Amino acid sequence: MNILYRCFAVLLLVCALTTGSAAFAASRVPSDLSASLKKTPPAHPRLFLTDTQKPALREKIENEPLWKSVYDYLLANTEIVKELPPLTRKKTGKRLLSVSRACIQRVSYLALTYRMTGDASSLERAKEEMLAVAQFEDWNPSHFLDVAEMTMAMAIGYDWLYNDLDADTRATIRNAIVEKGLRTSLKGGGWVTTTHNWNQVCHGGLVAGALAVLEDEPVLSRRIIERALANVPRAMHEYEPDGVYPEGPSYWGYGTTYNVLLIAALESALGKDFGLSQSPGFMKTPYFYLQTTAPTGLYYNFSDCGTRGCAAAAMHWFGGRLQQPGLLWNEKKALEGFVDAKPNPSGSADRMLTFLLIWGQPVDQLETPKMLSWQGNGRTPIAILRNGWDANDAFFAIKGGSPGSNHAHMDIGSFVLDMEGVRWAHELGAQNYHNLESKGIDLWNRSQDSERWTVFRLNNYSHSTLTVDEQLQRVKGRAPITDFSSTADASFAIVDMTPVYEGQLRTAKRGGRLSGKTVLLQDELETLDRATSVCWGMMTQAAVEISADHPNMAVLKKDGKELTLKVLTPSDAVLSLYDAETPPQPYDEKNPDTRMLRFTTQIPASTQQTLTVMMYTGSAPENSPELSPLKKW
């Protein structure tokens, strides 16, 4: 049976090598890859942190107090991990992902601790963890992210501890990497050629595994590496032209980190990345991550994005490459908050901490970023307007794009607004995926009539944008940012939302302008040949008081601060509140202390109408803003 299995496996591999896939045929494998792979692989450890690089890491920890604190945090977590039982194959719904991520954290922490301190208990505990995972029946290939992240975990442990593992342990771990990771991947799947984070994560984890076992499995490893180099550019194309990550900053932290891990693995083991880092837009993407973090520390959390991140290992990798003053402005604060937190051995947020240490750049003397406002084009164009980088400075962000993009919401034209250290215009973010899947919701179908759009947090009824005749935005529409100005005294951005209101409005354009502590939001609409109802809304977690004497005006209060919102046109607008705490569907999660401030206007057929809203903190502007058409901004 064993001989038959090996013959079948070889046949499968030969078929994969000879026939390939449409994606493989469509992309060119670098001509210098063959020569690199023919060389004798460098000695272990060869991935990410070689022994020759270890003294520099030790020096950083010894000489820079903040990095010493990060290292101490890792050591504290490592001691907690030692007291935990080894991981078991326990799925959450269709995912084993939390186990894979916990494995990355545990194995990388234990392995790095052993390499830095020589602590034998860390070595033994890492072996125990990897042997337990090696015995799993599989790593859940039906949800291939789970396989990829587990392969990454095992590759790190196998490579970093290689010289101190006994022969039997080494063989068991290597066999698991090969059979449960690399060979399983030969069946392929949508992740091979897709353009979103699955591509980056899956190829990144598998290439690390292939490089770890390169001398024992040269043919198989070559196949894995060739396939990655042929297909990862499909995902990296999404960064063009300006580095915007279409799935938002928290998914940037996922997909981009694995893309960087892929590059770093290739460079450390083969001496080059075969041009991946030069992909157009890729070296611009750290500016997207920098700019989408507000002075409050909150993300511009569009799409399925979380509200706040943690210290980003990939930002330090980019920082080391680019050496641009100000690029790591937000990272020092993130690091300080990180080391003040309680140890977290769950693997959910801290699993890349070892790479944060390895790639970490000096953060003692950082310059304030010179660029205030920023605009990035691409699949999901966004614009960021700000008047400074301090905690109380104003931050306004707005987006175009399409609800049809991966992880996207019906949030075209939506915005967030931070002033005086408070987020006034709020994004709810995504609902837990398993929570919805377990209730039978067809969450990943992005067609116009999908159940996905019945989820309150995902449709336009919950976003700070427009709703026309109570209809959903159009999934096939894609809204560009058509104009942008970064002038210090009055920066602005204009989104042409017409494509996502196809069949609802003849035209729909939205402009946002920031001047000092005042934001002007202006919509220019034209109806079709029928009367139309348009609802303007802003989601907020502030307390709201609508003026009894001036129903077009409201005062928002939060954390001891106030923001005034006034509808300038139409002059007869009447503001109202919609309690968003308990959404309409039984499967919707509650949104504590959340409400929609809105007004509805009736527009006759074939009529142009302008909706203008002013928001400001402090006293009212001395002069009302001069209203002018968007084309004259």
Side-chain angles (χ1 to χ4, degrees):
M1 181 64 71
N2 189 46
I3 294 174
L4 288 174
Y5 173 79
R6 290 183 177 275
C7 290
F8 177 77
V10 170
L11 179 61
L12 178 65
L13 179 58
V14 170
C15 290
L17 284 167
T18 55
T19 62
S21 65
F24 187 84
S27 303
R28 184 178 64 86
V29 175
S31 58
D32 53 346
L33 175 63
S34 180
S36 297
L37 290 173
K38 286 180 180 177
K39 297 177 182 177
T40 302
H44 296 278
R46 65 173 72 118
L47 294 177
F48 309 116
L49 179 69
T50 65
D51 280 342
T52 58
Q53 295 169 320
K54 203 164 65 171
L57 175 57
R58 193 179 303 280
E59 182 180 358
K60 176 167 54 181
I61 292 168
E62 291 174 350
N63 296 334
E64 299 183 41
L66 191 50
W67 289 114
K68 175 63 164 58
S69 296
V70 175
Y71 179 63
D72 289 344
Y73 179 93
L74 182 143
L75 294 179
N77 262 294
T78 302
E79 292 305 310
I80 294 175
V81 166
K82 290 178 184 178
E83 301 302 318
L84 299 174
L87 292 163
T88 59
R89 190 184 181 281
K90 183 179 180 181
K91 292 169 63 176
T92 302
K94 66 181 181 181
R95 296 173 178 80
L96 191 67
L97 196 53
S98 62
V99 178
S100 299
R101 291 173 172 179
C103 189
I104 290 179
Q105 182 187 36
R106 293 184 182 192
V107 171
S108 65
Y109 283 22
L110 290 160
L112 185 65
T113 297
Y114 175 69
R115 292 185 66 186
M116 298 300 288
T117 68
D119 172 39
S121 66
S122 295
L123 170 63
E124 292 304 312
R125 185 63 184 82
K127 287 169 55 178
E128 183 182 20
E129 199 69 66
M130 290 190 288
L131 288 172
V133 168
Q135 297 305 315
F136 288 5
E137 61 184 87
D138 60 37
W139 294 343
N140 199 37
S142 62
H143 190 259
F144 211 82
L145 289 178
D146 311 3
V147 176
E149 295 215 47
M150 197 74 85
T151 304
M152 175 64 77
M154 297 288 270
I156 293 168
Y158 179 79
D159 178 65
W160 285 6
L161 303 176
Y162 183 91
N163 298 309
D164 295 293
L165 298 173
D166 61 83
D168 288 344
T169 298
R170 193 185 297 161
T172 299
I173 297 169
R174 179 175 63 248
N175 185 64
I177 292 172
V178 171
E179 301 300 334
K180 294 181 171 68
L182 306 186
R183 290 198 193 282
T184 298
S185 80
L186 294 179
K187 297 177 182 178
W191 58 268
V192 176
T193 58
T194 191
T195 61
H196 54 67
N197 68 83
W198 280 60
N199 178 313
Q200 298 163 298
V201 174
C202 292
H203 288 298
L206 292 165
V207 166
L211 291 170
V213 302
L214 183 57
E215 61 268 60
D216 294 287
E217 296 283 348
V219 177
L220 175 60
S221 294
R222 175 174 180 151
R223 168 59 183 146
I224 300 299
I225 296 166
E226 285 182 337
R227 183 179 60 188
L229 292 176
N231 288 291
V232 168
R234 294 177 180 274
M236 298 185 75
H237 179 71
E238 296 294 290
Y239 294 99
E240 296 181 33
D242 299 317
V244 173
Y245 198 74
E247 300 170 72
S250 60
Y251 270 97
W252 181 97
Y254 188 36
T256 303
T257 297
Y258 264 92
N259 211 133
V260 167
L261 285 168
L262 169 60
I263 291 169
L266 290 168
E267 289 180 334
S268 60
L270 300 181
K272 59 179 68 176
D273 73 354
F274 305 97
L276 287 182
S277 60
Q278 300 309 307
S279 178
F282 187 65
M283 297 308 291
K284 296 179 181 180
T285 198
Y287 295 99
F288 161 79
Y289 189 75
L290 169 71
Q291 288 284 350
T292 50
T293 303
T296 55
L298 301 176
Y299 284 150
Y300 175 28
N301 57 320
F302 63 87
S303 299
D304 277 352
C305 184
T307 304
R308 187 188 295 269
C310 60
M315 283 296 285
H316 287 269
W317 183 87
F318 282 109
R321 294 295 179 101
L322 296 173
Q323 294 295 311
Q324 291 294 317
L327 185 61
L328 298 177
W329 176 256
N330 295 319
E331 295 309 305
K332 182 177 182 180
K333 297 175 185 176
L335 278 174
E336 291 169 342
F338 191 64
V339 299
D340 287 340
K342 293 181 180 180
N344 174 20
S346 70
S348 59
D350 301 349
R351 68 190 185 282
M352 296 300 170
L353 181 58
T354 53
F355 299 102
L356 187 64
L357 276 166
I358 292 168
W359 298 330
Q361 300 297 305
V363 291
D364 290 338
Q365 303 293 327
L366 293 177
E367 295 183 18
T368 305
K370 292 181 171 59
M371 184 182 297
L372 293 178
S373 297
W374 182 87
Q375 190 246 326
N377 286 311
R379 181 182 293 275
T380 305
I382 66 167
I384 310 292
L385 313 179
R386 64 173 86 223
N387 58 19
W389 288 87
D390 293 334
N392 290 324
D393 285 328
F395 174 90
F396 174 87
I398 191 168
K399 70 181 293 292
S402 171
S405 297
N406 194 52
H407 284 293
H409 294 188
M410 289 182 168
D411 60 356
I412 312 309
S414 70
F415 63 96
V416 297
L417 173 62
D418 295 15
M419 284 187 181
E420 302 294 332
V422 173
R423 173 146 294 183
W424 301 103
H426 178 74
E427 284 279 0
L428 293 174
Q431 185 169 331
N432 179 272
Y433 302 153
H434 173 63
N435 178 286
L436 290 165
E437 290 167 346
S438 65
K439 295 171 182 174
I441 301 303
D442 187 9
L443 183 59
W444 305 110
N445 179 348
R446 295 196 296 272
S447 64
Q448 186 67 41
D449 58 355
S450 168
E451 283 183 314
R452 176 178 179 83
W453 309 121
T454 68
V455 179
F456 182 69
R457 292 190 182 186
L458 308 185
N459 59 44
N460 44 283
Y461 307 143
S462 69
H463 288 94
S464 301
T465 187
L466 303 176
T467 297
V468 179
D469 289 331
E470 300 185 356
Q471 297 181 71
L472 298 171
Q473 290 185 337
R474 304 302 298 171
V475 169
K476 292 183 178 180
R478 184 174 303 280
I481 292 179
T482 57
D483 205 355
F484 169 79
S485 172
S486 58
T487 305
D489 58 345
S491 53
F492 70 84
I494 298 173
V495 182
D496 184 356
M497 302 189 297
T498 304
V500 296
Y501 293 107
E502 182 180 357
Q504 301 174 30
L505 293 168
R506 181 165 283 114
T507 59
K509 296 182 179 181
R510 165 165 282 192
R513 186 168 70 195
L514 174 65
S515 180
K517 295 183 177 182
T518 300
V519 168
L520 194 70
L521 194 68
Q522 184 164 304
D523 296 310
E524 293 182 352
L525 314 175
E526 183 177 356
T527 56
L528 296 167
D529 55 358
R530 60 178 180 271
T532 303
S533 172
V534 176
C535 180
W536 183 104
M538 185 180 92
M539 190 66 74
T540 185
Q541 290 187 325
V544 180
E545 296 178 3
I546 298 173
S547 170
D549 297 328
H550 303 283
N552 65 331
M553 183 180 295
V555 175
L556 286 68
K557 298 180 179 180
K558 188 177 181 184
D559 300 337
K561 307 292 178 61
E562 292 187 0
L563 177 133
T564 301
L565 181 148
K566 184 178 182 181
V567 182
L568 303 181
T569 61
S571 59
D572 60 353
V574 176
L575 289 166
S576 64
L577 286 175
Y578 168 74
D579 183 359
E581 184 162 338
T582 304
Q585 301 297 340
Y587 45 78
D588 283 321
E589 286 184 358
K590 289 191 175 182
N591 307 300
D593 199 31
T594 304
R595 54 205 56 85
M596 175 77 81
L597 179 60
R598 62 187 185 177
F599 68 90
T600 300
T601 184
Q602 306 298 325
I603 308 175
S606 303
T607 299
Q608 294 180 351
Q609 175 72 60
T610 299
L611 316 181
T612 311
V613 178
M614 179 174 64
M615 293 166 277
Y616 58 89
T617 56
S619 57
E622 292 184 6
N623 299 310
S624 296
E626 181 179 346
L627 302 185
S628 59
L630 293 177
K631 64 182 180 181
K632 293 187 177 181
W633 278 23

